[in-house]
mmCIF file of all heavy atoms in Angstrom:
data_model
loop_
_atom_site.group_PDB
_atom_site.id
_atom_site.type_symbol
_atom_site.label_atom_id
_atom_site.label_comp_id
_atom_site.label_asym_id
_atom_site.label_seq_id
_atom_site.Cartn_x
_atom_site.Cartn_y
_atom_site.Cartn_z
ATOM 1 N N THR A 20 2.750 128.696 -16.667
ATOM 2 C CA THR A 20 1.632 128.538 -17.589
ATOM 3 C C THR A 20 1.678 129.505 -18.760
ATOM 4 O O THR A 20 1.413 129.110 -19.910
ATOM 5 C CB THR A 20 0.301 128.711 -16.837
ATOM 6 O OG1 THR A 20 0.251 127.804 -15.731
ATOM 7 C CG2 THR A 20 -0.888 128.448 -17.758
ATOM 8 N N ALA A 21 1.989 130.777 -18.507
ATOM 9 C CA ALA A 21 1.894 131.797 -19.562
ATOM 10 C C ALA A 21 2.667 131.429 -20.828
ATOM 11 O O ALA A 21 2.129 131.544 -21.938
ATOM 12 C CB ALA A 21 2.332 133.153 -19.023
ATOM 13 N N PRO A 22 3.924 130.948 -20.718
ATOM 14 C CA PRO A 22 4.664 130.630 -21.946
ATOM 15 C C PRO A 22 4.102 129.447 -22.728
ATOM 16 O O PRO A 22 4.472 129.246 -23.897
ATOM 17 C CB PRO A 22 6.076 130.304 -21.436
ATOM 18 C CG PRO A 22 6.146 130.862 -20.060
ATOM 19 C CD PRO A 22 4.759 130.778 -19.526
ATOM 20 N N LEU A 23 3.215 128.663 -22.107
ATOM 21 C CA LEU A 23 2.631 127.513 -22.791
ATOM 22 C C LEU A 23 1.494 127.913 -23.728
ATOM 23 O O LEU A 23 1.068 127.118 -24.563
ATOM 24 C CB LEU A 23 2.098 126.508 -21.757
ATOM 25 C CG LEU A 23 3.120 125.968 -20.755
ATOM 26 C CD1 LEU A 23 2.421 125.084 -19.729
ATOM 27 C CD2 LEU A 23 4.218 125.189 -21.467
ATOM 28 N N LEU A 24 1.001 129.140 -23.595
ATOM 29 C CA LEU A 24 -0.123 129.600 -24.405
ATOM 30 C C LEU A 24 0.377 130.135 -25.748
ATOM 31 O O LEU A 24 1.514 130.603 -25.847
ATOM 32 C CB LEU A 24 -0.893 130.684 -23.651
ATOM 33 C CG LEU A 24 -1.490 130.214 -22.320
ATOM 34 C CD1 LEU A 24 -2.103 131.383 -21.569
ATOM 35 C CD2 LEU A 24 -2.529 129.130 -22.565
ATOM 36 N N PRO A 25 -0.449 130.065 -26.792
ATOM 37 C CA PRO A 25 -0.007 130.520 -28.116
ATOM 38 C C PRO A 25 0.563 131.938 -28.067
ATOM 39 O O PRO A 25 -0.066 132.858 -27.532
ATOM 40 C CB PRO A 25 -1.298 130.462 -28.936
ATOM 41 C CG PRO A 25 -2.103 129.379 -28.286
ATOM 42 C CD PRO A 25 -1.814 129.514 -26.817
ATOM 43 N N ALA A 26 1.733 132.101 -28.639
ATOM 44 C CA ALA A 26 2.430 133.389 -28.565
ATOM 45 C C ALA A 26 1.770 134.456 -29.409
ATOM 46 O O ALA A 26 1.962 135.658 -29.159
ATOM 47 C CB ALA A 26 3.887 133.207 -29.005
ATOM 48 N N ASP A 27 0.977 134.062 -30.387
ATOM 49 C CA ASP A 27 0.363 135.039 -31.284
ATOM 50 C C ASP A 27 -1.053 135.433 -30.868
ATOM 51 O O ASP A 27 -1.763 136.105 -31.609
ATOM 52 C CB ASP A 27 0.340 134.504 -32.717
ATOM 53 C CG ASP A 27 -0.469 133.212 -32.843
ATOM 54 O OD1 ASP A 27 -0.738 132.567 -31.812
ATOM 55 O OD2 ASP A 27 -0.818 132.862 -33.983
ATOM 56 N N LYS A 28 -1.471 135.017 -29.661
ATOM 57 C CA LYS A 28 -2.805 135.353 -29.154
ATOM 58 C C LYS A 28 -2.661 136.081 -27.819
ATOM 59 O O LYS A 28 -1.696 135.857 -27.071
ATOM 60 C CB LYS A 28 -3.629 134.072 -28.927
ATOM 61 C CG LYS A 28 -3.780 133.193 -30.169
ATOM 62 C CD LYS A 28 -4.702 133.804 -31.175
ATOM 63 C CE LYS A 28 -4.875 132.891 -32.387
ATOM 64 N NZ LYS A 28 -5.576 131.632 -32.055
ATOM 65 N N PRO A 29 -3.628 136.947 -27.477
ATOM 66 C CA PRO A 29 -3.559 137.632 -26.186
ATOM 67 C C PRO A 29 -3.720 136.666 -25.022
ATOM 68 O O PRO A 29 -4.465 135.687 -25.107
ATOM 69 C CB PRO A 29 -4.711 138.639 -26.246
ATOM 70 C CG PRO A 29 -5.622 138.130 -27.306
ATOM 71 C CD PRO A 29 -4.770 137.392 -28.284
ATOM 72 N N ARG A 30 -3.010 136.966 -23.947
ATOM 73 C CA ARG A 30 -3.040 136.159 -22.722
ATOM 74 C C ARG A 30 -3.601 137.007 -21.590
ATOM 75 O O ARG A 30 -3.146 138.121 -21.353
ATOM 76 C CB ARG A 30 -1.637 135.690 -22.354
ATOM 77 C CG ARG A 30 -0.949 134.846 -23.429
ATOM 78 C CD ARG A 30 0.540 134.802 -23.180
ATOM 79 N NE ARG A 30 1.255 133.928 -24.099
ATOM 80 C CZ ARG A 30 2.570 133.946 -24.262
ATOM 81 N NH1 ARG A 30 3.315 134.795 -23.554
ATOM 82 N NH2 ARG A 30 3.145 133.133 -25.122
ATOM 83 N N TYR A 31 -4.555 136.466 -20.876
ATOM 84 C CA TYR A 31 -5.326 137.218 -19.871
ATOM 85 C C TYR A 31 -5.238 136.498 -18.529
ATOM 86 O O TYR A 31 -5.615 135.332 -18.413
ATOM 87 C CB TYR A 31 -6.760 137.332 -20.384
ATOM 88 C CG TYR A 31 -7.828 137.737 -19.412
ATOM 89 C CD1 TYR A 31 -7.589 138.568 -18.322
ATOM 90 C CD2 TYR A 31 -9.149 137.307 -19.625
ATOM 91 C CE1 TYR A 31 -8.606 138.934 -17.461
ATOM 92 C CE2 TYR A 31 -10.177 137.664 -18.772
ATOM 93 C CZ TYR A 31 -9.900 138.482 -17.687
ATOM 94 O OH TYR A 31 -10.912 138.840 -16.830
ATOM 95 N N LEU A 32 -4.738 137.188 -17.517
ATOM 96 C CA LEU A 32 -4.678 136.650 -16.160
ATOM 97 C C LEU A 32 -5.892 137.151 -15.399
ATOM 98 O O LEU A 32 -6.022 138.349 -15.134
ATOM 99 C CB LEU A 32 -3.384 137.087 -15.470
ATOM 100 C CG LEU A 32 -3.207 136.645 -14.018
ATOM 101 C CD1 LEU A 32 -3.250 135.126 -13.891
ATOM 102 C CD2 LEU A 32 -1.904 137.195 -13.450
ATOM 103 N N MET A 33 -6.765 136.232 -15.012
ATOM 104 C CA MET A 33 -8.068 136.610 -14.477
ATOM 105 C C MET A 33 -8.019 136.916 -12.983
ATOM 106 O O MET A 33 -7.573 136.098 -12.182
ATOM 107 C CB MET A 33 -9.081 135.489 -14.732
ATOM 108 C CG MET A 33 -9.228 135.101 -16.193
ATOM 109 S SD MET A 33 -10.493 133.834 -16.472
ATOM 110 C CE MET A 33 -11.982 134.825 -16.308
ATOM 111 N N GLY A 34 -8.478 138.112 -12.632
ATOM 112 C CA GLY A 34 -8.738 138.450 -11.242
ATOM 113 C C GLY A 34 -7.523 138.597 -10.361
ATOM 114 O O GLY A 34 -7.642 138.559 -9.137
ATOM 115 N N VAL A 35 -6.348 138.785 -10.948
ATOM 116 C CA VAL A 35 -5.115 138.939 -10.163
ATOM 117 C C VAL A 35 -4.618 140.341 -10.388
ATOM 118 O O VAL A 35 -4.467 140.772 -11.519
ATOM 119 C CB VAL A 35 -4.045 137.918 -10.579
ATOM 120 C CG1 VAL A 35 -2.746 138.158 -9.822
ATOM 121 C CG2 VAL A 35 -4.560 136.503 -10.324
ATOM 122 N N GLY A 36 -4.286 140.967 -9.389
ATOM 123 C CA GLY A 36 -4.278 142.297 -9.324
ATOM 124 C C GLY A 36 -3.660 143.274 -8.455
ATOM 125 O O GLY A 36 -4.110 144.384 -8.577
ATOM 126 N N THR A 37 -2.645 143.050 -7.641
ATOM 127 C CA THR A 37 -1.921 144.180 -7.052
ATOM 128 C C THR A 37 -1.004 144.764 -8.127
ATOM 129 O O THR A 37 -0.707 144.093 -9.127
ATOM 130 C CB THR A 37 -1.064 143.747 -5.855
ATOM 131 O OG1 THR A 37 0.014 142.931 -6.327
ATOM 132 C CG2 THR A 37 -1.881 142.978 -4.816
ATOM 133 N N PRO A 38 -0.539 145.994 -7.955
ATOM 134 C CA PRO A 38 0.407 146.529 -8.948
ATOM 135 C C PRO A 38 1.618 145.624 -9.171
ATOM 136 O O PRO A 38 2.044 145.428 -10.312
ATOM 137 C CB PRO A 38 0.803 147.883 -8.340
ATOM 138 C CG PRO A 38 -0.405 148.297 -7.551
ATOM 139 C CD PRO A 38 -0.926 147.022 -6.964
ATOM 140 N N LEU A 39 2.158 145.056 -8.100
ATOM 141 C CA LEU A 39 3.312 144.173 -8.248
ATOM 142 C C LEU A 39 2.930 142.889 -8.974
ATOM 143 O O LEU A 39 3.693 142.391 -9.821
ATOM 144 C CB LEU A 39 3.910 143.864 -6.882
ATOM 145 C CG LEU A 39 5.177 142.991 -6.881
ATOM 146 C CD1 LEU A 39 6.261 143.583 -7.766
ATOM 147 C CD2 LEU A 39 5.686 142.815 -5.440
ATOM 148 N N ASP A 40 1.738 142.331 -8.673
ATOM 149 C CA ASP A 40 1.270 141.145 -9.394
ATOM 150 C C ASP A 40 1.180 141.425 -10.891
ATOM 151 O O ASP A 40 1.555 140.593 -11.724
ATOM 152 C CB ASP A 40 -0.113 140.717 -8.894
ATOM 153 C CG ASP A 40 -0.093 140.127 -7.502
ATOM 154 O OD1 ASP A 40 0.972 139.663 -7.065
ATOM 155 O OD2 ASP A 40 -1.162 140.130 -6.847
ATOM 156 N N ILE A 41 0.667 142.593 -11.238
ATOM 157 C CA ILE A 41 0.500 142.945 -12.643
ATOM 158 C C ILE A 41 1.855 143.037 -13.331
ATOM 159 O O ILE A 41 2.067 142.481 -14.422
ATOM 160 C CB ILE A 41 -0.281 144.264 -12.775
ATOM 161 C CG1 ILE A 41 -1.742 144.048 -12.353
ATOM 162 C CG2 ILE A 41 -0.211 144.812 -14.199
ATOM 163 C CD1 ILE A 41 -2.538 145.328 -12.216
ATOM 164 N N VAL A 42 2.796 143.722 -12.701
ATOM 165 C CA VAL A 42 4.126 143.874 -13.307
ATOM 166 C C VAL A 42 4.803 142.522 -13.448
ATOM 167 O O VAL A 42 5.433 142.227 -14.477
ATOM 168 C CB VAL A 42 4.974 144.856 -12.481
ATOM 169 C CG1 VAL A 42 6.420 144.861 -12.949
ATOM 170 C CG2 VAL A 42 4.384 146.263 -12.587
ATOM 171 N N ARG A 43 4.677 141.666 -12.443
ATOM 172 C CA ARG A 43 5.266 140.326 -12.553
ATOM 173 C C ARG A 43 4.540 139.489 -13.596
ATOM 174 O O ARG A 43 5.159 138.658 -14.272
ATOM 175 C CB ARG A 43 5.245 139.645 -11.185
ATOM 176 C CG ARG A 43 6.326 140.190 -10.253
ATOM 177 C CD ARG A 43 6.224 139.625 -8.864
ATOM 178 N NE ARG A 43 7.430 139.891 -8.084
ATOM 179 C CZ ARG A 43 7.511 139.787 -6.765
ATOM 180 N NH1 ARG A 43 6.445 139.411 -6.060
ATOM 181 N NH2 ARG A 43 8.637 140.051 -6.125
ATOM 182 N N GLY A 44 3.237 139.698 -13.750
ATOM 183 C CA GLY A 44 2.506 139.002 -14.793
ATOM 184 C C GLY A 44 2.973 139.419 -16.178
ATOM 185 O O GLY A 44 3.135 138.583 -17.074
ATOM 186 N N ILE A 45 3.198 140.709 -16.358
ATOM 187 C CA ILE A 45 3.734 141.195 -17.636
ATOM 188 C C ILE A 45 5.104 140.586 -17.889
ATOM 189 O O ILE A 45 5.435 140.192 -19.017
ATOM 190 C CB ILE A 45 3.797 142.736 -17.631
ATOM 191 C CG1 ILE A 45 2.388 143.326 -17.538
ATOM 192 C CG2 ILE A 45 4.505 143.255 -18.883
ATOM 193 C CD1 ILE A 45 2.358 144.813 -17.250
ATOM 194 N N ASP A 46 5.900 140.478 -16.838
ATOM 195 C CA ASP A 46 7.228 139.878 -16.954
ATOM 196 C C ASP A 46 7.146 138.422 -17.417
ATOM 197 O O ASP A 46 8.069 137.910 -18.062
ATOM 198 C CB ASP A 46 7.936 139.969 -15.600
ATOM 199 C CG ASP A 46 9.421 139.656 -15.685
ATOM 200 O OD1 ASP A 46 10.083 140.164 -16.607
ATOM 201 O OD2 ASP A 46 9.918 138.913 -14.824
ATOM 202 N N ALA A 47 6.023 137.754 -17.110
ATOM 203 C CA ALA A 47 5.825 136.361 -17.514
ATOM 204 C C ALA A 47 5.217 136.234 -18.908
ATOM 205 O O ALA A 47 5.090 135.116 -19.419
ATOM 206 C CB ALA A 47 4.929 135.647 -16.500
ATOM 207 N N GLY A 48 4.820 137.373 -19.501
ATOM 208 C CA GLY A 48 4.267 137.333 -20.842
ATOM 209 C C GLY A 48 2.763 137.504 -20.927
ATOM 210 O O GLY A 48 2.161 137.225 -21.968
ATOM 211 N N VAL A 49 2.125 137.994 -19.852
ATOM 212 C CA VAL A 49 0.677 138.215 -19.836
ATOM 213 C C VAL A 49 0.369 139.602 -20.410
ATOM 214 O O VAL A 49 1.127 140.550 -20.217
ATOM 215 C CB VAL A 49 0.117 138.065 -18.406
ATOM 216 C CG1 VAL A 49 -1.365 138.417 -18.354
ATOM 217 C CG2 VAL A 49 0.343 136.636 -17.902
ATOM 218 N N ASP A 50 -0.786 139.695 -21.088
ATOM 219 C CA ASP A 50 -1.164 140.924 -21.776
ATOM 220 C C ASP A 50 -2.335 141.667 -21.134
ATOM 221 O O ASP A 50 -2.468 142.879 -21.322
ATOM 222 C CB ASP A 50 -1.566 140.601 -23.221
ATOM 223 C CG ASP A 50 -0.504 139.805 -23.947
ATOM 224 O OD1 ASP A 50 0.597 140.346 -24.132
ATOM 225 O OD2 ASP A 50 -0.772 138.636 -24.307
ATOM 226 N N MET A 51 -3.211 140.961 -20.416
ATOM 227 C CA MET A 51 -4.449 141.568 -19.940
ATOM 228 C C MET A 51 -4.688 141.183 -18.486
ATOM 229 O O MET A 51 -4.441 140.041 -18.091
ATOM 230 C CB MET A 51 -5.631 141.096 -20.801
ATOM 231 C CG MET A 51 -5.455 141.381 -22.284
ATOM 232 S SD MET A 51 -6.689 140.560 -23.331
ATOM 233 C CE MET A 51 -8.165 141.439 -22.853
ATOM 234 N N PHE A 52 -5.200 142.159 -17.715
ATOM 235 C CA PHE A 52 -5.410 141.968 -16.281
ATOM 236 C C PHE A 52 -6.719 142.631 -15.866
ATOM 237 O O PHE A 52 -7.122 143.653 -16.433
ATOM 238 C CB PHE A 52 -4.276 142.603 -15.471
ATOM 239 C CG PHE A 52 -2.913 142.097 -15.825
ATOM 240 C CD1 PHE A 52 -2.211 142.651 -16.888
ATOM 241 C CD2 PHE A 52 -2.323 141.075 -15.101
ATOM 242 C CE1 PHE A 52 -0.950 142.192 -17.227
ATOM 243 C CE2 PHE A 52 -1.062 140.606 -15.433
ATOM 244 C CZ PHE A 52 -0.373 141.162 -16.505
ATOM 245 N N ASP A 53 -7.356 142.078 -14.838
ATOM 246 C CA ASP A 53 -8.497 142.736 -14.203
ATOM 247 C C ASP A 53 -8.466 142.425 -12.724
ATOM 248 O O ASP A 53 -7.913 141.400 -12.296
ATOM 249 C CB ASP A 53 -9.821 142.256 -14.797
ATOM 250 C CG ASP A 53 -10.247 140.918 -14.201
ATOM 251 O OD1 ASP A 53 -9.690 139.874 -14.604
ATOM 252 O OD2 ASP A 53 -11.117 140.917 -13.304
ATOM 253 N N CYS A 54 -9.046 143.298 -11.938
ATOM 254 C CA CYS A 54 -9.177 143.045 -10.500
ATOM 255 C C CYS A 54 -10.083 144.110 -9.902
ATOM 256 O O CYS A 54 -10.082 145.262 -10.356
ATOM 257 C CB CYS A 54 -7.805 143.074 -9.819
ATOM 258 S SG CYS A 54 -7.836 142.426 -8.127
ATOM 259 N N VAL A 55 -10.851 143.737 -8.871
ATOM 260 C CA VAL A 55 -11.682 144.713 -8.165
ATOM 261 C C VAL A 55 -10.864 145.533 -7.175
ATOM 262 O O VAL A 55 -11.382 146.481 -6.572
ATOM 263 C CB VAL A 55 -12.836 144.018 -7.415
ATOM 264 C CG1 VAL A 55 -13.755 143.294 -8.386
ATOM 265 C CG2 VAL A 55 -12.305 143.056 -6.343
ATOM 266 N N LEU A 56 -9.600 145.181 -7.000
ATOM 267 C CA LEU A 56 -8.780 145.775 -5.935
ATOM 268 C C LEU A 56 -8.745 147.309 -5.960
ATOM 269 O O LEU A 56 -8.945 147.939 -4.909
ATOM 270 C CB LEU A 56 -7.362 145.214 -6.009
ATOM 271 C CG LEU A 56 -6.477 145.421 -4.784
ATOM 272 C CD1 LEU A 56 -7.018 144.653 -3.594
ATOM 273 C CD2 LEU A 56 -5.048 144.968 -5.092
ATOM 274 N N PRO A 57 -8.479 147.975 -7.086
ATOM 275 C CA PRO A 57 -8.357 149.431 -7.025
ATOM 276 C C PRO A 57 -9.633 150.132 -6.572
ATOM 277 O O PRO A 57 -9.571 151.084 -5.785
ATOM 278 C CB PRO A 57 -7.973 149.828 -8.458
ATOM 279 C CG PRO A 57 -8.299 148.652 -9.305
ATOM 280 C CD PRO A 57 -8.169 147.452 -8.429
ATOM 281 N N THR A 58 -10.802 149.682 -7.039
ATOM 282 C CA THR A 58 -12.032 150.343 -6.617
ATOM 283 C C THR A 58 -12.482 149.890 -5.232
ATOM 284 O O THR A 58 -12.982 150.696 -4.440
ATOM 285 C CB THR A 58 -13.149 150.103 -7.646
ATOM 286 O OG1 THR A 58 -13.184 148.711 -8.001
ATOM 287 C CG2 THR A 58 -12.901 150.919 -8.903
ATOM 288 N N ARG A 59 -12.303 148.618 -4.912
ATOM 289 C CA ARG A 59 -12.676 148.151 -3.569
ATOM 290 C C ARG A 59 -11.821 148.835 -2.510
ATOM 291 O O ARG A 59 -12.329 149.319 -1.489
ATOM 292 C CB ARG A 59 -12.527 146.632 -3.481
ATOM 293 C CG ARG A 59 -12.814 146.070 -2.094
ATOM 294 C CD ARG A 59 -12.656 144.567 -2.084
ATOM 295 N NE ARG A 59 -13.723 143.919 -2.839
ATOM 296 C CZ ARG A 59 -13.726 142.633 -3.183
ATOM 297 N NH1 ARG A 59 -12.703 141.859 -2.841
ATOM 298 N NH2 ARG A 59 -14.734 142.116 -3.856
ATOM 299 N N ASN A 60 -10.501 148.878 -2.735
ATOM 300 C CA ASN A 60 -9.637 149.532 -1.768
ATOM 301 C C ASN A 60 -9.906 151.030 -1.694
ATOM 302 O O ASN A 60 -9.778 151.637 -0.626
ATOM 303 C CB ASN A 60 -8.166 149.277 -2.106
ATOM 304 C CG ASN A 60 -7.688 147.920 -1.608
ATOM 305 O OD1 ASN A 60 -8.470 147.141 -1.066
ATOM 306 N ND2 ASN A 60 -6.420 147.628 -1.792
ATOM 307 N N ALA A 61 -10.267 151.631 -2.832
ATOM 308 C CA ALA A 61 -10.608 153.053 -2.815
ATOM 309 C C ALA A 61 -11.771 153.309 -1.865
ATOM 310 O O ALA A 61 -11.771 154.291 -1.111
ATOM 311 C CB ALA A 61 -10.958 153.523 -4.225
ATOM 312 N N ARG A 62 -12.761 152.439 -1.895
ATOM 313 C CA ARG A 62 -13.919 152.616 -1.011
ATOM 314 C C ARG A 62 -13.577 152.334 0.436
ATOM 315 O O ARG A 62 -14.310 152.728 1.342
ATOM 316 C CB ARG A 62 -15.071 151.708 -1.468
ATOM 317 C CG ARG A 62 -15.556 152.033 -2.866
ATOM 318 C CD ARG A 62 -16.867 151.326 -3.196
ATOM 319 N NE ARG A 62 -16.806 149.886 -3.060
ATOM 320 C CZ ARG A 62 -16.376 149.058 -3.998
ATOM 321 N NH1 ARG A 62 -15.911 149.535 -5.148
ATOM 322 N NH2 ARG A 62 -16.388 147.749 -3.803
ATOM 323 N N ASN A 63 -12.453 151.638 0.668
ATOM 324 C CA ASN A 63 -11.993 151.376 2.038
ATOM 325 C C ASN A 63 -10.921 152.363 2.498
ATOM 326 O O ASN A 63 -10.384 152.227 3.601
ATOM 327 C CB ASN A 63 -11.441 149.953 2.141
ATOM 328 C CG ASN A 63 -12.526 148.903 1.970
ATOM 329 O OD1 ASN A 63 -13.673 149.130 2.331
ATOM 330 N ND2 ASN A 63 -12.182 147.762 1.401
ATOM 331 N N GLY A 64 -10.580 153.331 1.637
ATOM 332 C CA GLY A 64 -9.619 154.361 2.021
ATOM 333 C C GLY A 64 -8.169 154.020 1.776
ATOM 334 O O GLY A 64 -7.277 154.758 2.208
#
């Protein structure tokens, strides 16, 4: 999907979020990421 989006506009992957997911998303051409994972997992130790 990522390469199908306009190359001159930011691309945002919604709610996907392990560190590896983020790096692989960048590898696919994604620019923006969010996820509750870092704070939720922090509260779980």
Side-chain angles (χ1 to χ4, degrees):
T20 305
L23 302 175
L24 299 174
D27 61 343
K28 303 288 182 66
R30 301 162 175 165
Y31 165 30
L32 178 59
M33 303 183 76
V35 176
T37 69
L39 183 55
D40 289 338
I41 290 170
V42 171
R43 284 174 166 164
I45 296 168
D46 193 45
V49 175
D50 307 296
M51 304 169 68
F52 303 85
D53 81 282
C54 192
V55 298
L56 196 66
T58 47
R59 177 180 290 169
N60 278 4
R62 298 192 303 275
N63 293 329

